[in-house]
Amino acid sequence: MTLLRERLGGAAVLGIPLIWIAVFMLLPYAIIATYSFWIKQYPTFVPAFQFGNYLNLFTDPQYSKVLIRTLKVSLLVSFFAFLLGYPFAYFLAFRCRSQALRTWLYMAVIAPLWVSYLLRAYVWKTILGTEGILNSFLMSVGILSEPSDIFLYNQFAMVVTLTYIFIPFMVMPVYTSLEKIPRNLVEASADLGMRPIPTFLRITLPLSMPGVAAGFTMTFCLTFGDFVAPFLVGGPDGNLVASVIVTQFGTALNWPMGSALAIFVLVIVLAVLSLSDRVERAFSPKEA
Amino acid sequence: MVMALTTPADKAAPKARRGMMQRYAADTAFMTFVAILMAFLYIPIWVLIVFSFNDSRSLTWPLTGFTLEWYEKLWNNSQLQDAIGNSFYVASCATVLTLLVGVPAALALHRVNFPGKKVFRRLVVLPITLPGVVTGISMLNLFRVLGFNLSLETVILGHATALLAVVVTQVSARLERLPKSLEEASADLGAPPLHTFLHVTLPNIRSAVIGAGLLSFVLSFDEIPVTFFLTGRDNTLPMYIYSTMRRGVTPEINAVGTLIVLFSLILIIGAVIATRERKK
């Protein structure tokens, strides 16, 4: 009797989330997966089972160029977020001696996440534009004689903007993994005569790899699917894959192609996730 | 060979001093780096705020003068006010809904063993890394297949689905730190499961639930990609701002932005107070 009631309770707790996930995640993915095999036939599309849309991804330069650009921008954003985020997290975990300062600095990095993502992208448009603050500032101090358009509407602007937006996603997991490293490991290494830099390279860095992997995953995947920054600061040659998906479902009216692109993004995200799981497991301390 | 002539004590002093110098140099380098990073993170936000009070239409340096004109324009902008109202409606409903589904999901993952648990966990937390464009597109197609008209309600369903991941990860993290013995003791004393949940589990995960709720609210209030695909004729605040941005940059956007920064600041402080664990 009690067993039955427990079973029922378990089913109730489990039921709602399971149904929700099935209806609002699995079913929608199945629908776009189906569409991705259809054929566009003006003015609509017809059901089919063929891989033409997927083939187009790699053979049609219209799409393959965008995919390569997206990959490049995502890697650059992850890399710069790492370059800026890691030393900061390291400072917080190992160098900062005041607990209050540490809390404040950590909060200061996370806080921008609570401020509208759209506005944080927009502000870079106002900073980097030809009429923007950077140009007018450089002119007023005499470095430039006329406004330059090299700052906005290119990949540089996208990388700066997206790095700015996604840095917190690198700092959070890296800091968490650095925090977990027992201090006596680093001390033991120093006692045994190892210099700080080799200690860092052979002990701290490997032990923080799970955090780095998580940070890379977040920044990479979020950049990979962004269409707001390309729209605001990317310019005509700045389309990323998500902007193309938007066009396929909008003006281009090619749902099958758009679905294939969306499925491709989904597959990339899943691949990055399982890769990062592997890295995490490889660098986790093995239980004896 | 020269080294052999000096005693260990002679050698130790300069070495220690060199160590200190190096440490000092490293500290200075780190502090400088942290200062630069802080500037990188906060100068843009100050730019946003300062230019909302500047009395020129173009956002150029140097500043020309102080004005509240842009705020007055906001005050009289009825489209914007509708958008703000819609955003509050969407964010509140989405938050309640995602908590109602997400907390049981976290409990189930923590407590119940069932086939496909690993897949379930992976799926639930997927939207954290999955770009909103995929969630948006796939749910748009679901609603089309089902014959739903797009409206603020479809946006709510989309947000609730995307935000499940946030609730589940935050609540799961707290549940993992909660000793199982508490609930076992409650069950041993004869409390029915619902009773145990309400009087033992829930009070212990309260701050995580509140924190997840606040974060969900903010993320929903700010959401673009899912909203972009799922909204009908009504605009939420970010969608309204996004559409005005098509017409170029104006100080009015800066004024909205400044108000959003202020609002976020209040929420952050609220979140810190609400989620602070009581120290005994």
Side-chain angles (χ1 to χ4, degrees), chain A residues 1-64:
Chain A
M1 183 65 199
T2 41
L3 190 74
L4 184 71
R5 258 175 67 184
E6 253 172 43
R7 280 270 167 88
L8 279 176
V13 169
L14 194 55
I16 301 167
L18 271 185
I19 292 169
W20 190 282
I21 297 289
V23 174
F24 292 118
M25 291 181 77
L26 284 179
L27 188 56
Y29 296 160
I31 293 171
I32 55 167
T34 313
Y35 282 161
S36 71
F37 297 112
W38 288 19
I39 298 177
K40 182 185 156 97
Q41 221 168 53
Y42 190 80
T44 53
F45 355 93
V46 287
F49 185 74
Q50 45 89 38
F51 293 87
N53 298 318
Y54 288 102
L55 216 61
N56 272 350
L57 286 182
F58 304 104
T59 52
D60 188 339
Q62 187 191 344
Y63 303 113
S64 59

Side-chain angles (χ1 to χ4, degrees), chain B:
Chain B
M1 284 300 106
V2 182
M3 295 247 279
L5 296 173
T6 55
T7 64
D10 289 337
K11 232 172 34 178
K15 204 175 173 186
R17 197 177 313 137
R18 209 180 61 199
M20 248 169 70
M21 288 285 283
Q22 270 177 355
R23 189 161 174 87
Y24 180 74
D27 274 351
T28 315
F30 268 115
M31 289 306 255
T32 317
F33 175 79
V34 168
I36 291 170
L37 187 68
M38 283 292 133
F40 177 58
L41 285 177
Y42 282 92
I43 285 176
I45 294 179
W46 282 108
V47 164
L48 185 78
I49 296 172
V50 167
F51 277 89
S52 76
F53 296 108
N54 188 34
D55 68 356
S56 152
R57 264 232 148 249
S58 65
L59 296 123
T60 49
W61 191 264
L63 299 165
T64 44
F66 180 85
T67 181
L68 288 175
E69 191 194 336
W70 316 119
Y71 289 90
E72 263 173 56
K73 283 207 165 144
L74 293 187
W75 188 252
N76 298 319
N77 184 338
S78 66
Q79 273 182 308
L80 179 84
Q81 280 153 17
D82 289 347
I84 292 175
N86 289 340
S87 274
F88 267 106
Y89 170 64
V90 167
S92 318
C93 294
T95 303
V96 171
L97 211 52
T98 199
L99 285 177
L100 283 178
V101 181
V103 175
L107 282 171
L109 282 173
H110 182 62
R111 198 70 35 79
V112 190
N113 276 318
F114 54 93
K117 186 169 170 173
K118 266 178 97 172
V119 178
F120 179 70
R121 184 193 301 271
R122 179 47 59 94
L123 265 176
V124 172
V125 300
L126 186 61
I128 284 197
T129 37
L130 187 69
V133 65
V134 179
T135 310
I137 281 290
S138 56
M139 287 189 79
L140 168 70
N141 284 304
L142 173 79
F143 292 137
R144 274 177 178 161
V145 168
L146 296 178
F148 280 27
N149 284 324
L150 297 180
S151 61
L152 290 178
E153 285 70 31
T154 48
V155 176
I156 291 170
L157 290 174
H159 285 192
T161 306
L163 293 170
L164 267 187
V166 173
V167 175
V168 170
T169 38
Q170 300 236 339
V171 175
S172 292
R174 178 64 53 88
L175 281 171
E176 262 160 39
R177 298 210 314 253
L178 191 69
K180 255 195 173 132
S181 53
L182 282 181
E183 286 163 355
E184 281 165 7
S186 167
D188 287 348
L189 293 171
L194 186 67
H195 206 77
T196 304
F197 172 72
L198 289 177
H199 295 282
V200 178
T201 317
L202 196 57
N204 276 296
I205 60 170
R206 205 186 63 128
S207 61
V209 173
I210 295 174
L214 276 170
L215 189 57
S216 301
F217 186 90
V218 173
L219 292 175
S220 165
F221 205 85
D222 188 32
E223 217 282 338
I224 292 258
V226 175
T227 320
F228 184 89
F229 293 108
L230 297 184
T231 192
R233 234 172 298 136
D234 299 302
N235 264 346
T236 60
L237 179 61
M239 281 303 297
Y240 173 75
I241 300 174
Y242 187 74
S243 59
T244 56
M245 279 175 189
R246 281 174 192 278
R247 284 176 254 137
V249 300
T250 77
E252 273 181 271
I253 300 177
N254 289 54
V256 186
T258 304
L259 294 178
I260 292 179
V261 170
L262 193 70
F263 180 64
S264 313
L265 201 65
I266 294 169
L267 276 179
I268 293 172
I269 295 168
V272 170
I273 293 170
T275 57
R276 184 180 291 162
E277 284 171 59
R278 269 172 235 135
K279 301 206 168 69
K280 280 170 196 158

